[in-house]
């Protein structure tokens, strides 16, 4: 028994408490079937099977002996997370992708000496196993997700972020890591552990926020690309490989397209600038999504879809911004960042939209210092016992207001119109009406932002005049503008910049409502002109679009 199990015994919600699911034991029949996919190896005690930082490691099953799973903390110390015994298997969700793995795995013989028998299943064969042995695939996927959840919940096998949790850079880094499912612990600079790490790595107060990676590399005030590169979240993109499909954007519509394309055998690459989920990934609670009667957070929904797409074989390249689409010839080429590119026979555009801003003086100065564009647990913990404002009258604003009301002393919802009926779902309107610490302010807007380093007060102009309020956190949810400026004129857009699709884009007959003016290029989700800006509709568009992609690929292969 490890310390992990001791903690789990005290908390039934801990993933480690679900021992039969997180560390299941395979039946004799399952072991027999697995032997068909791998080869048995007899290994000496202490043999390393994989090492933290490697990519593309194999899948291992214990026949006799044990496999010890070890993490390295930021100070370089080892800790045994768990020990797999006979009929148990290694791995977590990084076996579905080519990111750097987070832990070591080494062989232990039955009595600590001698040999152990291990079944090795190579990575490519493991992918085939997951698609052909459905019961095993379900068991393994559940275990992998729970293991990563355990890492996240306990801050195991990950990085340490040092600095003020409310600071702009620290908050940005924490948001990126959590949305990408990377384990981390956050320390204030005055904590003793933080002081010790700062001393070891030669960091001073002026170097904060700082990130200490599991391999001991320390970054001062890192950028998002630096974080992704240092922690191994990026995946190599082969510029000469011609994919069947490139999906640009990993919001609900893009992830849906990736899941259906990969599950139907298409070589699929997803390019995402920051993290899976898009705007929906920042939603604190989605309560009207089909199949989740108690609701689900946008990040949880996106995380499941991200794992699902990779299980089917889609590759997801995060921290990779698409910067240009060359559709002058086939195959299409997507430029990624300044140095990389990828090719595909078909492209699905799902880049969504960017948050609209208030258009006020000092708004950039207060971003992540009181001015927010998402309402997740990260932001909510900053708002305890304070007054906050939510600007906007759509569903995202309503969900944010209800969620924040659990933490804030009072939530002010500001809309320019006379009410919410025209823009918000009725269930959210009812929730707002019946929540005592939420006040709806109609025909109102924020006109000024005040504060020194952080936002402290706002001036609200409304029917009662212009007044200054002690509101230190403002959540801006007033819509978005389409991310289409990188398309280089490849497809037609409407006056607002959204991509036109379907029969109205060209005189030729179009077989799909999602095909753009450029054959072989499709658009789904919020980026598409006339789309319904809802998570469910985006998911539907992404899935339906793939039938049209198949049709185009058939035409492409004949040309």
């Amino acid at each position: 028994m490890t310390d992990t199990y001791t903690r789990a015994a005290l908390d039934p919600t801990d993933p480690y408490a679900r021992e039969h699911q997180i560390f299941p034991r395979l039946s004799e029949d399952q072991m027999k079937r697995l032997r068909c996919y791998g080869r048995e190896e007899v290994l000496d005690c202490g043999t390393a099977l994989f090492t933290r930082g490697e990519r593309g490691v194999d899948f291992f099953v214990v026949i006799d002996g044990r496999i010890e799973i070890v993490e390295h903390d930021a100070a370089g110390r080892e800790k045994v997370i768990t020990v797999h015994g006979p009929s148990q298997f290694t791995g977590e969700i990084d076996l579905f992708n080519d990111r750097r793995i987070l832990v070591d795995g080494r062989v232990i013989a039955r009595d600590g000496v001698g040999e152990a028998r291990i079944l090795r299943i190579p990575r490519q064969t493991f992918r085939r196993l997951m698609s052909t042995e459905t019961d095993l695939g379900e068991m393994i996927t559940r275990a992998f997700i729970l293991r990563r959840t355990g890492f996240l919940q306990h801050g195991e096998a990950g990085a340490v972020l040092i600095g003020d949790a409310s600071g702009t850079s620290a908050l940005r880094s924490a948001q990126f890591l959590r949305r990408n499912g990377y384990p981390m612990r956050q320390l204030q600079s005055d904590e003793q552990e933080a002081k010790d790490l700062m001393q070891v790595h030669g960091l001073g107060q002026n170097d904060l926020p700082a990130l200490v990676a599991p391999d001991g590399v320390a970054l001062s005030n890192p950028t998002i690309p630096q974080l992704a590169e240092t922690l191994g979240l990026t995946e190599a993109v082969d510029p000469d490989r011609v994919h069947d499909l490139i999906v640009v954007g990993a919001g609900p519509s893009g992830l849906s397209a990736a899941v259906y394309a990969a599950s139907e055998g298409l070589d699929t690459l997803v390019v995402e600038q920051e993290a899976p989920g898009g705007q929906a990934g920042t939603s604190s609670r989605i309560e009207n999504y089909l199949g989740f009667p108690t609701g689900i957070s946008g990040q949880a929904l996106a995380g499941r879809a991200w794992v699902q797409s990779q299980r089917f074989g889609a590759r997801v390249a995060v921290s990779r911004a698409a910067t240009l689409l060359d559709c002058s010839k086939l195959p299409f080429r997507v430029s990624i960042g300044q140095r990389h590119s990828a090719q595909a026979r078909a492209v699905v555009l799902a880049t969504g939209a960017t948050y609209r801003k208030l258009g006020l003086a000092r708004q950039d100065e207060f971003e992540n210092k009181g001015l927010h564009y998402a309402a997740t647990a990260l932001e909510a913990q900053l708002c305890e016992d304070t007054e906050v404002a939510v600007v906007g009258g759509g569903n995202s604003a309503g969900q944010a207001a209800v969620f924040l009301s659990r933490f804030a002393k009072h939530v002010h919802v500001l809309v320019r119109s006379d009410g919410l009926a025209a823009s918000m779902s009725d269930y959210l309107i009812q929730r707002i009406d019946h929540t005592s610490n939420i006040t709806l302010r109609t025909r109102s807007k924020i006109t000024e932002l005040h504060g020194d380093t952080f936002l402290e007060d706002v001036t609200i102009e409304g029917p009662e005049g212009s007044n200054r309020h002690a509101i230190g956190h403002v959540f801006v949810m007033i819509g978005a503008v389409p991310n289409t400026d990188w398309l280089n004129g490849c497809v037609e857009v409407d006056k607002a910049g959204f991509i036109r699709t379907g029969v109205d884009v060209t005189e030729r007959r179009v077989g799909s409502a999602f095909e753009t003016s450029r054959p072989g290029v499709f658009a789904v989700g919020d980026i598409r002109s006339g789309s319904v800006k809802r998570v469910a509709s985006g998911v539907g568009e992404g899935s339906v679009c793939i039938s049209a992609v198949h049709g185009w690929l058939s035409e492409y292969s004949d040309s």
Side-chain angles (χ1 to χ4, degrees):
M1 289 284 181
T2 68
D3 289 342
T4 297
Y5 288 113
T6 303
R7 291 195 302 269
L10 301 176
D11 182 3
T13 66
D14 194 310
Y16 289 114
R18 298 163 62 178
E19 185 175 355
H20 67 290
Q21 291 182 319
I22 193 170
F23 302 121
R25 293 189 181 276
L26 301 165
S27 67
E28 289 186 14
D29 174 68
Q30 290 170 330
M31 288 290 290
K32 181 179 179 180
R33 282 186 282 150
L34 281 177
R35 290 176 188 272
C36 300
Y37 292 90
R39 65 178 183 272
E40 186 176 322
E41 298 180 355
V42 178
L43 302 171
D44 291 333
C45 181
T47 300
L49 297 175
F50 46 84
T51 304
R52 176 189 43 76
E54 287 187 84
R55 299 180 189 263
V57 302
D58 294 336
F59 179 72
F60 297 93
V61 184
V62 180
I63 299 173
D64 185 48
R66 293 176 294 169
I67 297 176
E68 190 175 53
I69 304 301
V70 179
E71 73 154 327
H72 300 259
D73 66 17
R77 297 169 300 217
E78 284 192 356
K79 173 191 169 185
V80 176
I81 294 178
T82 192
V83 177
H84 299 300
S87 301
Q88 292 185 309
F89 53 83
T90 64
E92 50 105 36
I93 59 174
D94 278 347
L95 256 71
F96 291 146
N97 55 54
D98 288 322
R99 292 181 174 184
R100 293 178 188 163
I101 61 169
L102 302 177
V103 293
D104 294 351
R106 58 195 179 208
V107 172
I108 304 175
R110 184 186 296 274
D111 299 317
V113 294
E115 299 173 329
R117 288 192 299 141
I118 306 296
L119 180 67
R120 178 192 294 265
I121 299 179
R123 171 63 71 93
Q124 289 303 115
T125 310
F126 171 72
R127 292 189 182 278
R128 179 162 56 87
L129 154 70
M130 293 296 291
S131 62
T132 56
E133 303 286 348
T134 55
D135 63 322
L136 285 168
E138 179 181 350
M139 174 191 291
I140 292 168
T141 300
R142 181 186 297 111
F144 282 7
I145 292 173
L146 286 172
R147 290 173 188 180
R148 176 55 65 96
T149 304
F151 287 174
L152 292 168
Q153 187 164 326
H154 294 289
E156 294 173 322
V160 175
L161 185 62
I162 305 172
D164 184 356
S166 63
T168 303
S169 297
L171 185 59
R172 183 184 67 241
S173 297
Q175 288 172 331
F176 174 77
L177 295 177
R178 289 180 182 175
R179 290 189 65 193
N180 278 285
Y182 193 91
M184 59 158 281
R185 291 187 300 119
Q186 197 158 0
L187 302 175
Q188 296 289 112
S189 59
D190 58 357
E191 294 182 54
Q192 187 58 50
E193 184 180 356
K195 292 178 180 178
D196 293 342
L197 285 174
M198 290 171 65
Q199 183 175 4
V200 168
H201 295 284
L203 298 169
Q205 287 294 328
N206 292 334
D207 298 314
L208 303 183
L211 179 126
V212 181
D215 59 3
V217 172
L219 300 176
S220 173
N221 196 15
T223 64
I224 294 303
Q226 285 176 325
L227 282 177
E229 190 68 36
T230 300
L231 298 176
L233 296 174
T234 55
E235 296 191 33
V237 177
D238 184 353
D240 298 321
R241 176 176 175 176
V242 179
H243 301 272
D244 291 323
L245 176 67
I246 292 178
V247 179
V248 186
S253 57
L255 287 171
S256 175
V259 167
Y260 279 83
S263 69
E264 294 172 15
L266 297 184
D267 178 358
T268 304
L269 172 68
V270 182
V271 178
E272 167 55 42
Q273 181 171 1
E274 186 164 337
Q279 286 195 64
T282 67
S283 178
S284 54
R285 205 74 182 164
I286 303 171
E287 295 193 62
N288 59 351
Y289 191 76
L290 186 68
F292 293 90
T294 60
I296 184 171
S297 73
Q299 185 172 339
L301 185 64
R304 295 181 186 192
W306 174 68
V307 172
Q308 191 175 18
S309 68
Q310 292 177 102
R311 176 184 170 185
F312 286 123
R315 297 180 60 237
V316 183
V318 300
S319 189
R320 303 285 197 182
T323 54
L324 185 70
L325 173 60
D326 181 0
C327 54
S328 61
K329 60 182 180 180
L330 295 175
F332 303 111
R333 183 177 289 274
V334 176
S335 295
I336 305 171
Q338 302 300 316
R339 297 177 298 156
H340 305 282
S341 66
Q343 300 182 77
R345 301 175 179 89
V347 175
V348 169
L349 304 173
T351 46
T354 301
Y355 303 114
R356 291 187 186 275
K357 298 188 177 183
L358 293 173
L360 300 176
R362 305 186 70 189
Q363 63 181 8
D364 293 339
E365 179 184 343
F366 288 124
E367 283 190 5
N368 290 321
K369 294 182 178 180
L371 196 60
H372 311 281
Y373 299 93
T376 70
L378 273 173
E379 292 80 19
Q381 67 185 358
L382 305 175
C383 302
E384 289 191 13
D385 298 323
T386 67
E387 294 202 18
V388 306
V390 175
V391 182
N395 275 6
S396 294
Q399 290 160 352
V402 171
F403 174 68
L404 293 169
S405 69
R406 293 159 43 193
F407 302 87
K409 181 191 300 182
H410 202 90
V411 179
H412 302 267
V413 179
L414 280 60
V415 295
R416 291 174 179 263
S417 62
D418 292 325
L420 299 172
S423 57
M424 189 180 293
S425 297
D426 183 67
Y427 82 92
L428 282 170
I429 296 174
Q430 296 299 321
R431 191 75 62 82
I432 288 172
D433 287 343
H434 291 89
T435 303
S436 60
N437 64 333
I438 298 180
T439 297
L440 174 63
R441 294 179 176 271
T442 59
R443 292 180 288 155
S444 299
K445 62 180 180 180
I446 293 176
T447 56
E448 289 184 80
L449 305 170
H450 311 280
D452 293 327
T453 303
F454 295 92
L455 182 66
E456 297 171 4
D457 304 283
V458 301
T459 297
I460 299 177
E461 183 180 294
E464 68 278 7
S466 183
N467 296 286
R468 187 160 167 168
H469 298 263
I471 291 174
H473 293 277
V474 174
F475 295 82
V476 183
M477 298 185 173
I478 53 177
V481 293
N483 293 320
T484 53
D485 55 351
W486 63 279
L487 293 175
N488 194 33
C490 276
V491 298
E492 291 184 18
V493 297
D494 65 16
K495 292 180 179 180
F498 292 90
I499 298 173
R500 300 175 66 198
T501 60
V503 293
D504 66 327
V505 301
T506 178
E507 293 181 358
R508 70 181 178 86
R509 184 175 180 83
V510 177
S512 168
F514 309 108
E515 189 170 357
T516 69
S517 57
R518 181 73 56 177
V521 179
F522 305 83
V524 295
D526 289 1
I527 198 175
R528 190 175 69 84
S529 179
S531 66
V532 178
K533 306 300 189 282
R534 293 288 186 271
V535 174
S537 62
V539 169
E541 290 186 14
S543 62
V544 174
C545 173
I546 298 306
S547 62
V549 171
H550 279 293
W552 160 252
L553 291 175
S554 176
E555 180 182 333
Y556 178 98
S557 63
D558 293 338
S559 60

